[in-house]
Amino acid sequence: MQSKAHTFTANARAALADEPLQAALARFQGGFPVKRRAAIDRLPEFDALRDAGKAIKDATLANLDIYLEQFEAKVIAAGGHVHWCEDADAARQTVIDLCREAGAKTITKAKSMIGEEIAINEALAAAGFTPIETDLGEYIIQLRDEAPSHIIVPAVHLSKEQVAESFRAHHRDLPAERPLSEPQAMLDEARAILRQAFLTADVGITGANMLIAETGSTVLVTNEGNADLTQTLPRMQIVIASIEKVVPTLEDAATVLRLLARSATGQELSVYTTFTTGPKRGDDLDGPAAFHVILLDNGRSRMLGGPFAEMLRCIRCGACLNHCPVYSAVGGHAYGWVYPGPMGSVLTPNLIGLAGTSDLPNASTLCGRCEEVCPMRIPLPRMLRQLRQDAFASGGGPKPMRAGLAAWAFVAGRPWLYRLATGLGVRILGLLGRRHGRFRRLPGASGWTAVRDLPAPAGRTFQALWTERNGARR
Amino acid sequence: MTAAADPARAAMLARIQNALGRGAPSEEQRRRVLQRCAAPSANLIPARGRENDRIAQFIAEAERVNATTERLAGWSAVPAAVAETLAAAGLPPRLRMVDDARLASLAWPAGLAVATGKSVDGDRASLAIAFAGIAETGTVMLLSSPSSPATLNFLPEMHIVILPEAVIVGAYEDAWANLRAALGVGVMPRVVNWITGPSRTADIEQTLLLGAHGPRLLHILLLAEA
């Protein structure tokens, strides 16, 4: 997927003016945070489990090579294959080669963010295959040729009317007189169409929430059951997973699972949690004859030793999106690439580079809610600040902003000048604004005053008041 | 391609080792790290995984997520309960079930057509036997095998699961311990399914709907008899 992160400001402005999108975001807001809160209230040990989850991930990352090799050995022992792919190109080519080897035509897919990251559907279609997304939300956006706008609820930006419209446009056998106004009718329609896809697919592609080194198992959670039909019915299963998904043991997976669904949707556990180990065995009556795991790096081994290593603890629950004031205002597409919200604003510059994505770390109020709710205690605000510094240091950002920051740094680096300038400014603004107590308009501050008033300062600086107060105390 | 000859694999491992500030691990290092996998131990188990009345907890948690439950004295009560469950849901008297001696020996009513084998399109109801029930979230745990194909858990509209009360454990970790006791450390069936309620989606305007791709109904028969 071509990144549109470099036009974030324009994307965000368009999103704010997009009425259907704003209605969808208003519908979405609050739902998951309230359910998450309720689920956590039923589990007093939640914070202690967060510590345990963080410890598991840190311990795994500290010996990532050893756990990956162990995982690989166990997959092979179970009759499966592991493919090490350094980047998106290699992963796409491997998947295409495997699909050719299987003589595939139809390929069912269960929602996978790694699939989005390597743009696997486009690659498969270009190679002559027919990939079909089976998660209801992913299926809807595939019909509309859109990207997911949320990592766990991909079609959250759409109304039921828009979904009905897409079904009418693409399902040619759907009689015009059949009512399709309610979600249940749309689900019935999608279920019937996708059931045929499941039954005819030659290859099933899934992601993985975790990989277990102890057993060589891949772990996948869904609520619909689509991933299980995707992986059980075709003759080949391909699991695409990034290297940081590995955990040591089944017990470690259990700990992470206690955090995942509660943080994501407020469920105690997703409906289907599936542990898959290798292909169909000797006398099995169902299951794929071939089982392949793609291990994708795509920049992650580079992150491991640096200031963003902790980002590799992320379990993709989406809690930071659900609690972010910026995501809630502009939705996921404005971020311009695969991963939106705070986690995306850290991940995207790390995976595709800071050039062209430096607006993302600035698309944050640094309010800190993302870190507060992160089940893996990832210090997202610190990383966003680090990226801002990196962008400035490498000469990124618009010219007026750079000039402004340079001027501010010049003044702030000279205390006498800073006191003089702020003292003057505050006094003048205080005098000018005495009558109304606020400014409707102010030269040079139109960015602020276009959407709200600027309160007039009281006439004295914080530093002056502080000195006076402390002096009085002494 | 053999693992040793794969340049991508070698490059990825080298980058990881470089980032970790060390070269390839020694055998001793490797053995020490993998001790965690060889002798797995539980992390924090929350108090709700240690409740005294696991059966009551299991039922309450399963019903919270829209499963239905029914307590039966023993195996001999299963056929009648299954027939009634199908009739109550308006489903035809046909059943795809796991190939199990305990089920085969039961007296199935003449009007109920039972078959074993993998599930196929058109199957409306299935019957499986749980390896464990996990009380902390009302989850049933099923293992795939030649006699218990995984498709039974997903293709039909109604999934009926037999759960002997004796196999209900408190926490996920207990279920793993029982699985290792049955199969050995590091050994897994091809598929382990944890199922917590019937299939659902909320992908259209966050409206919760049951029966997305998997079963719309999950009915659990708890058996007092082991």
Side-chain angles (χ1 to χ4, degrees):
Chain A
M1 175 176 169
Q2 202 63 40
S3 169
K4 294 188 192 74
H6 60 286
T7 56
F8 176 83
T9 315
N11 305 346
R13 197 164 292 141
L16 288 169
D18 183 336
E19 278 175 29
L21 173 64
Q22 289 301 318
L25 289 170
R27 234 182 347 258
F28 176 61
Q29 246 171 41
F32 281 161
V34 168
K35 289 181 184 133
R36 172 188 174 275
R37 190 68 255 166
I40 289 170
D41 286 345
R42 293 191 77 221
L43 187 67
E45 298 91 344
F46 190 77
D47 272 339
L49 285 164
R50 290 168 76 191
D51 295 332
K54 173 181 184 293
I56 290 167
K57 285 284 193 173
D58 285 343
T60 316
L61 292 169
N63 284 293
L64 185 57
D65 53 339
I66 296 177
Y67 286 116
L68 285 172
E69 287 188 278
Q70 171 70 12
F71 169 77
E72 176 190 41
K74 295 296 286 189
V75 171
I76 293 170
H81 304 269
V82 175
H83 307 266
W84 300 68
C85 296
E86 292 193 75
D87 54 22
D89 265 336
R92 277 190 296 261
Q93 195 53 53
T94 306
V95 172
I96 287 170
D97 290 346
L98 289 170
C99 290
R100 288 206 177 113
E101 179 191 313
K105 279 172 67 183
T106 304
I107 297 164
T108 41
K109 254 204 80 228
K111 191 179 115 47
S112 149
M113 291 312 295
I114 298 298
E116 301 293 332
E117 183 179 323
I118 66 173
I120 192 62
N121 286 348
E122 293 82 338
L124 287 169
F129 303 105
T130 308
I132 302 171
E133 290 287 354
T134 60
D135 169 83
L136 180 59
E138 283 283 340
Y139 175 69
I140 292 165
I141 60 170
Q142 189 186 24
L143 291 183
R144 300 172 63 89
D145 198 18
E146 287 179 358
S149 66
H150 189 290
I151 62 174
I152 62 164
V153 272
V156 69
H157 58 288
L158 297 173
S159 67
K160 59 187 183 186
E161 289 76 20
Q162 288 171 302
V163 176
E165 219 169 82
S166 301
F167 281 7
R168 293 228 184 266
H170 289 89
H171 295 176
R172 266 173 249 129
D173 298 332
L174 180 64
E177 69 279 7
R178 215 177 94 202
L180 207 58
S181 57
E182 284 315 306
Q184 181 67 55
M186 293 180 235
L187 171 62
D188 294 344
E189 167 69 10
R191 179 178 165 121
I193 298 260
L194 288 170
R195 186 50 73 96
Q196 287 317 303
F198 286 128
L199 294 167
T200 53
D202 309 296
V203 172
I205 300 179
T206 69
N209 293 88
M210 282 180 274
L211 310 170
I212 301 179
E214 175 200 351
T215 57
S217 310
T218 63
V219 186
L220 195 54
V221 306
T222 74
N223 283 319
E224 298 184 2
N226 63 309
D228 293 281
L229 291 172
T230 297
Q231 71 167 53
T232 309
L233 296 174
R235 52 184 184 273
M236 177 187 281
Q237 179 186 2
I238 304 174
V239 180
I240 45 180
S242 48
I243 53 175
E244 82 280 16
K245 290 288 189 321
V246 68
V247 296
T249 65
L250 294 168
E251 278 76 1
D252 295 328
T255 300
V256 174
L257 288 167
R258 285 198 183 96
L259 295 164
L260 178 59
R262 288 182 174 94
S263 298
T265 57
Q267 290 171 283
E268 317 250 321
L269 192 67
S270 302
V271 175
Y272 300 110
T273 304
T274 301
F275 303 80
T276 307
T277 313
K280 174 179 181 169
R281 298 185 183 167
D283 297 324
D284 275 351
L285 302 179
D286 58 18
F291 177 81
H292 296 268
V293 181
I294 309 272
L295 286 179
L296 177 73
D297 184 335
N298 212 27
R300 289 167 176 81
S301 60
R302 239 187 2 252
M303 290 170 69
L304 190 57
F308 303 101
E310 289 185 88
M311 190 63 216
L312 298 174
R313 288 202 299 266
C314 178
I315 55 173
R316 307 290 190 267
C317 68
C320 61
L321 280 63
N322 302 340
H323 291 78
C324 177
V326 176
Y327 178 91
S328 301
V330 300
H333 287 158
Y335 291 81
W337 198 55
V338 175
Y339 301 102
M343 56 81 73
S345 296
V346 172
L347 209 49
T348 302
N350 270 287
L351 296 185
I352 64 175
L354 196 47
T357 63
S358 63
D359 276 350
L360 299 182
N362 286 299
S364 165
T365 63
L366 298 182
C367 71
R369 283 186 88 193
C370 49
E371 183 174 3
E372 247 167 58
V373 298
C374 176
M376 287 291 147
R377 299 195 186 282
I378 299 170
L380 290 157
R382 173 181 73 66
M383 293 179 174
L384 292 168
R385 277 196 298 271
Q386 175 73 46
L387 285 165
R388 291 180 183 187
Q389 283 172 25
D390 292 353
F392 190 80
S394 63
K399 282 221 177 71
M401 186 190 86
R402 292 189 64 80
L405 281 173
W408 185 83
F410 181 85
V411 176
R414 291 162 178 79
W416 62 271
L417 182 58
Y418 185 84
R419 275 195 296 274
L420 182 72
T422 52
L424 266 174
V426 162
R427 213 167 311 150
I428 293 168
L429 286 177
L431 277 172
L432 287 174
R434 205 167 34 183
R435 189 130 64 100
H436 299 291
R438 60 199 152 83
F439 295 98
R440 289 255 173 95
R441 243 171 312 218
L442 198 64
S446 60
W448 177 283
T449 55
V451 287
R452 49 188 147 8
D453 292 348
L454 179 73
R460 309 191 44 208
T461 65
F462 174 78
Q463 282 181 320
L465 292 169
W466 182 259
T467 312
E468 184 182 298
R469 207 177 131 170
N470 277 8
R473 268 198 198 158
R474 262 185 225 123
Chain B
M1 190 167 356
T2 64
D6 179 352
R9 180 182 188 278
M12 280 167 66
L13 287 172
R15 266 203 309 275
I16 292 169
Q17 288 156 2
N18 187 43
L20 295 175
R22 62 161 165 75
S26 68
E27 271 321 301
E28 170 55 23
Q29 267 173 314
R30 195 181 295 275
R31 199 193 53 74
R32 215 175 45 237
V33 169
L34 292 179
Q35 191 54 34
R36 185 172 179 141
C37 298
S41 63
N43 305 299
L44 171 67
I45 297 177
R48 66 189 284 174
R50 289 287 169 263
E51 287 203 5
N52 289 328
D53 193 348
R54 294 198 294 265
I55 296 170
Q57 188 191 11
F58 178 90
I59 292 172
E61 292 297 329
E63 292 188 345
R64 267 174 71 88
V65 291
N66 313 87
T68 51
T69 63
E70 184 177 349
R71 296 183 76 169
L72 301 177
W75 291 87
S76 61
V78 168
V82 168
E84 275 167 36
T85 304
L86 296 185
L91 290 168
R94 283 191 293 114
L95 184 71
R96 176 77 61 182
M97 66 180 193
V98 296
D99 191 359
D100 189 282
R102 288 165 295 184
L103 293 180
S105 63
L106 295 175
W108 293 93
L112 181 62
V114 295
T116 57
K118 69 173 179 179
S119 184
V120 294
D121 193 28
D123 283 351
R124 307 283 300 273
S126 64
L127 177 65
I129 305 172
F131 172 79
I134 304 166
E136 70 168 296
T137 43
T139 301
V140 288
M141 172 166 163
L142 297 118
L143 312 182
S144 79
S145 73
S147 56
S148 182
T151 39
L152 265 68
N153 306 339
F154 296 98
L155 276 174
E157 288 162 58
M158 170 170 275
H159 189 205
I160 306 173
V161 177
I162 295 173
L163 175 64
E165 288 170 5
V167 302
I168 298 180
V169 296
Y172 306 132
E173 286 80 354
D174 304 322
W176 290 139
N178 290 351
L179 183 65
R180 287 197 190 99
L183 300 182
V185 175
V187 185
M188 290 283 273
R190 187 183 75 76
V191 176
V192 174
N193 289 122
W194 285 1
I195 300 180
T196 312
S199 161
R200 68 199 58 202
T201 185
D203 272 348
I204 304 175
E205 294 196 349
Q206 291 95 58
T207 308
L208 179 70
L209 302 169
L210 297 182
H213 289 299
R216 190 165 45 84
L217 301 159
L218 173 65
H219 188 62
I220 303 169
L221 302 174
L222 290 92
L223 302 195
E225 180 189 354

